[in-house]
Amino acid sequence: MVVVTYTRTECGVDFKNHDITLAVLNMEDIIHGHPKNFQINLGFQYEEDYLYCEDMRVCDLLNLKDVSSPVYVYSKKQIEANINKYKTAMKNSGRNIQLSYSVKANMNPSILELMRNHGLFLTLVSGHELRLALDLGQEPGKIVFNGNGKMNWEVDLACRSGVLLNVDSIFNMRQTIDVCKAGGYVANVLFRINPDINPNVHGYVSTGQEGSKFGISADELEEVLEMATTFEKIRVVGLHCHIGSTIREPEKFKQSTRVLVDLFNKLRSRFPDLYVLNLGGGLSIPYKSQISLPQKCKQVVQCEIDKNDDQEIARLYDNLLTSKLTLSTFLEAIKPLPRGKEIFLKLQEQVPSECLVPEPNDLLSSISDIIPPEAKVILEPGRSLVGNSAILLSRVLGTKLSKKKNFIVIDGAMTEVIRPCLYGAYHHVELAEPSRAAHLQNASDQSKLVWDVVGPVCESADFIGKDRLLFTPHEGCSIAVFDTGAYCSSMGSNYNMRVRPAELLVDGEKVKVIRRSETFEDMMKLYTNYYCFSQ
Ligand SMILES: *Cc1c(COP(=O)(O)O)cnc(C)c1O
């Protein structure tokens, strides 16, 4: 194994020319460059600067037959750990809670199989997701079908199969009644309520405020209830809300749960079959778990350590500075220590909130007291079950240095990871192997520089990360975009005629191709006037 030790004492770039968020800048990293040796989560870890997914060194995966870059790499262990965190929290809550996986986060059938094997329900948002769930053998009673605009065939399939159907509006109620009349079905209905709560997230993933296109507003509710009462084939079984995604405040779930529970209590005498409270999904994941400790925070920690001579905190802090701990792990580790809590609280104000986010346990503790014990609660997370279970593994095509900006151009792009361009979202990016460029004589190649990591798509919105502090990579160097298990592959596109990449599932030392890469022929076969296929 090549272990590269970086020795470099001056930085090779004029930082004044860069518009840098100082939070990512860390002089310590620039000067020492300790090889990374840390556990990111149960699925991914660094050993001597090489990134591993479970037992597999990820750069080696690109040499596998039929695998090319970019490729999504999933850890089975991490998905199962995410499920188990919810299950433990649900068990401890003392309430009757069912976990339902929100399929739109990632619909790979192998991932759905994993969810089904763990007894999860599936929450769906389209007729084709419904077909897929039924094809995989999911029982209709364990399916929630949702949507603010359903086509007649979708409502028909949902009612015919007997799934739990979320009704979203007056017109959706009328549509459901019409479909039931025509087909002679009985529909098991949940009302999706708009509780008018601001979840404090990007506007594009806020879904339960006044003015949102989702859910039944307070003004419309009575009319929908009236319609349901007058048609006997509508069986009202539950209430539903989903206020948004990437939520970082458990308090928001508490607020929406209160609204739903109040309504539940009010409506129970009117609708005797009412027993389900579907509280939606939306818990975030710590997208910034691996960022460097901001410079101003270092003084805080050092000062506390000097003042109290706390050996344990000093040891943990040294591990953070020498790349043996991620920032999130450091914060979690100091929190329970006698003197650590104080430092934790001070730092918490200064590090970005995406660094540490609430866990399923925090979510459940905030709501379990207000849930009626007789209700059956459904939680339907997507992101927090799969988001941190995957990386997009790419290769560096080349680097560009200029006065204003430095670019690392990789073969992954917005077509595989659209979240930065769509929501200004942060995805952590790191080299997946030691850079061989550090061996070069050019001094500037041996220090970390500030880069924009971008793809090859012809669109300036095609960036993966901005102002990232990274060593200069060699051409062909493997590079990982983290936390791409949710809303990346499922939101992928063929823009620029790029083929959608393969997906690999790592299970210990085993690697399974769970989706092959698309080909040029796959893309062209739908076009009628293309000579290869039109005869
Ligand atoms: C998207 C969605 C979810 C899942 O949201 P996450 O942020 O991925 O947890 C849950 N319920 C409904 C109705 C959704 O549309």
Side-chain angles (χ1 to χ4, degrees):
M1 181 173 8
V2 189
V3 180
V4 180
T5 40
Y6 302 98
T7 53
R8 162 76 180 161
T9 49
E10 62 174 294
C11 66
V13 72
D14 179 7
F15 284 108
K16 281 190 232 97
N17 278 338
H18 290 273
D19 173 26
I20 301 156
T21 357
L22 272 160
V24 297
L25 265 184
N26 185 336
M27 289 311 279
E28 216 84 27
D29 279 347
I30 297 172
I31 295 163
H32 298 299
H34 297 282
K36 287 191 282 292
N37 271 301
F38 56 70
Q39 190 89 34
I40 297 160
N41 54 32
L42 283 174
F44 294 92
Q45 83 269 2
Y46 270 100
E47 286 173 30
E48 295 294 321
D49 267 344
Y50 281 98
L51 178 64
Y52 285 72
C53 178
E54 303 199 9
D55 300 331
M56 300 302 297
R57 199 164 75 161
V58 298
C59 58
D60 298 336
L61 298 174
L62 293 176
N63 301 326
L64 295 174
K65 195 175 156 286
D66 296 332
V67 173
S68 58
S69 177
V71 60
Y72 297 100
V73 182
Y74 298 82
S75 156
K76 185 177 176 197
K77 207 188 249 177
Q78 186 57 41
I79 298 176
E80 292 185 322
N82 294 337
I83 297 172
N84 288 330
K85 259 189 190 167
Y86 268 102
K87 286 197 168 173
T88 307
M90 282 157 36
K91 209 168 174 185
N92 294 339
S93 76
R95 292 293 184 272
N96 176 8
I97 303 180
Q98 173 63 47
L99 197 57
S100 183
Y101 171 60
S102 187
V103 168
K104 74 178 189 287
N106 192 315
M107 52 60 70
N108 190 301
S110 298
I111 289 173
L112 299 190
E113 202 56 52
L114 203 56
M115 300 298 177
R116 280 169 31 75
N117 289 343
H118 283 81
L120 272 67
F121 283 20
L122 299 176
T123 289
L124 316 169
V125 293
S126 78
H128 286 146
E129 284 187 358
L130 178 53
R131 275 187 62 179
L132 173 60
L134 293 170
D135 282 354
L136 292 174
Q138 183 77 356
E139 295 159 49
K142 299 181 175 180
I143 292 175
V144 183
F145 185 63
N146 184 70
N148 72 306
K150 304 179 187 82
M151 287 169 267
N152 284 342
W153 73 266
E154 296 177 309
V155 179
D156 188 83
L157 181 58
C159 294
R160 183 153 32 100
S161 320
V163 306
L164 298 170
L165 179 67
N166 279 351
V167 166
D168 186 271
S169 60
I170 295 171
F171 81 78
N172 188 197
M173 187 74 256
R174 191 180 314 121
Q175 180 186 33
T176 306
I177 291 172
D178 289 347
V179 166
C180 284
K181 272 185 184 159
Y185 316 127
V186 174
N188 294 314
V189 160
L190 282 77
F191 295 122
R192 175 161 179 173
I193 305 298
N194 178 343
D196 190 19
I197 286 162
N198 176 0
N200 204 6
V201 296
H202 191 283
Y204 295 177
V205 289
S206 169
T207 56
Q209 271 185 283
E210 201 181 26
S212 163
K213 71 170 181 173
F214 301 100
I216 304 167
S217 65
D219 331 333
E220 290 174 325
L221 184 60
E222 188 46 46
E223 185 171 345
V224 178
L225 297 177
E226 200 50 46
M227 290 165 83
T229 323
T230 49
F231 184 60
E232 76 281 5
K233 293 283 177 61
I234 300 297
R235 201 173 147 241
V236 178
V237 296
L239 300 175
H240 174 244
C241 76
H242 171 69
I243 59 170
S245 201
T246 68
I247 299 170
R248 299 191 291 266
E249 299 161 57
E251 179 60 27
K252 301 295 178 185
F253 293 104
K254 194 173 190 167
Q255 289 171 15
S256 61
T257 304
R258 276 224 179 86
V259 173
L260 232 60
V261 168
D262 285 349
L263 195 59
F264 184 79
N265 290 332
K266 220 159 66 192
L267 295 180
R268 284 189 69 199
S269 52
R270 190 162 160 197
F271 298 100
D273 294 328
L274 193 67
Y275 73 108
V276 176
L277 271 177
N278 183 340
L279 302 174
L283 195 63
S284 192
I285 59 166
Y287 283 107
K288 289 189 175 169
S289 67
Q290 292 182 67
I291 63 163
S292 305
L293 188 64
Q295 199 59 33
K296 58 185 175 187
C297 297
K298 292 196 167 169
Q299 285 143 11
V300 174
V301 184
Q302 197 57 59
C303 181
E304 289 292 322
I305 289 173
D306 293 346
K307 204 165 69 191
N308 298 314
D309 191 28
D310 193 311
Q311 301 282 311
E312 181 58 8
I313 294 176
R315 189 186 63 82
L316 290 167
Y317 186 51
D318 189 56
N319 283 342
L320 174 69
L321 295 183
T322 53
S323 298
K324 295 187 190 110
L325 277 183
T326 65
L327 180 52
S328 290
T329 319
F330 170 74
L331 291 172
E332 270 166 35
I334 62 166
K335 195 174 166 185
L337 300 175
R339 291 228 163 74
K341 179 86 186 177
E342 220 172 296
I343 304 179
F344 174 84
L345 291 174
K346 277 186 191 159
L347 294 183
Q348 204 186 19
E349 284 168 20
Q350 299 189 30
V351 299
S353 56
E354 294 111 306
C355 199
L356 262 187
V357 303
E359 301 260 336
N361 189 28
D362 304 302
L363 164 60
L364 266 302
S365 333
S366 74
I367 60 172
S368 48
D369 283 353
I370 45 180
I371 295 170
E374 67 277 18
K376 173 169 178 147
V377 169
I378 296 177
L379 292 181
E380 44 182 21
R383 187 186 311 274
S384 49
L385 286 173
V386 291
N388 66 354
S389 74
I391 57 168
L392 180 76
L393 184 62
S394 293
R395 277 197 200 281
V396 172
L397 297 172
T399 54
K400 268 187 182 175
L401 297 171
S402 78
K403 243 190 166 159
K404 262 209 130 127
K405 279 273 182 197
N406 299 324
F407 294 100
I408 296 177
V409 185
I410 68 174
D411 57 13
M414 65 186 282
T415 41
E416 291 79 52
V417 185
I418 201 175
R419 299 188 63 256
C421 140
L422 191 59
Y423 313 127
Y426 181 94
H427 279 272
H428 198 71
V429 181
E430 287 285 343
L431 306 191
E433 61 185 293
S435 170
R436 291 203 293 274
H439 283 316
L440 301 177
Q441 289 309 301
N442 182 350
S444 72
D445 284 336
Q446 294 181 39
S447 67
K448 284 193 174 179
L449 305 183
V450 177
W451 305 92
D452 279 9
V453 180
V454 301
V457 167
C458 294
E459 201 74 51
S460 286
D462 178 31
F463 63 89
I464 301 291
K466 291 201 166 168
D467 298 328
R468 303 302 174 83
L469 196 61
L470 293 164
F471 285 109
T472 303
H474 54 272
E475 286 176 14
C477 185
S478 56
I479 188 164
V481 186
F482 286 89
D483 302 315
T484 52
Y487 305 108
C488 289
S489 170
S490 63
M491 289 181 128
S493 81
N494 288 122
Y495 186 42
N496 282 202
M497 282 191 82
R498 288 169 60 83
V499 292
R500 269 175 281 196
E503 298 182 271
L504 308 178
L505 182 65
V506 177
D507 177 10
E509 290 180 336
K510 286 186 305 223
V511 183
K512 212 162 112 186
V513 179
I514 56 171
R515 183 189 204 271
R516 71 163 169 83
S517 170
E518 214 170 15
T519 61
F520 173 75
E521 288 74 20
D522 288 332
M523 271 194 292
M524 290 314 296
K525 70 182 170 210
L526 304 178
Y527 295 91
T528 48
N529 204 17
Y530 178 63
Y531 68 92
C532 278
F533 303 106
S534 57
Q535 289 92 359

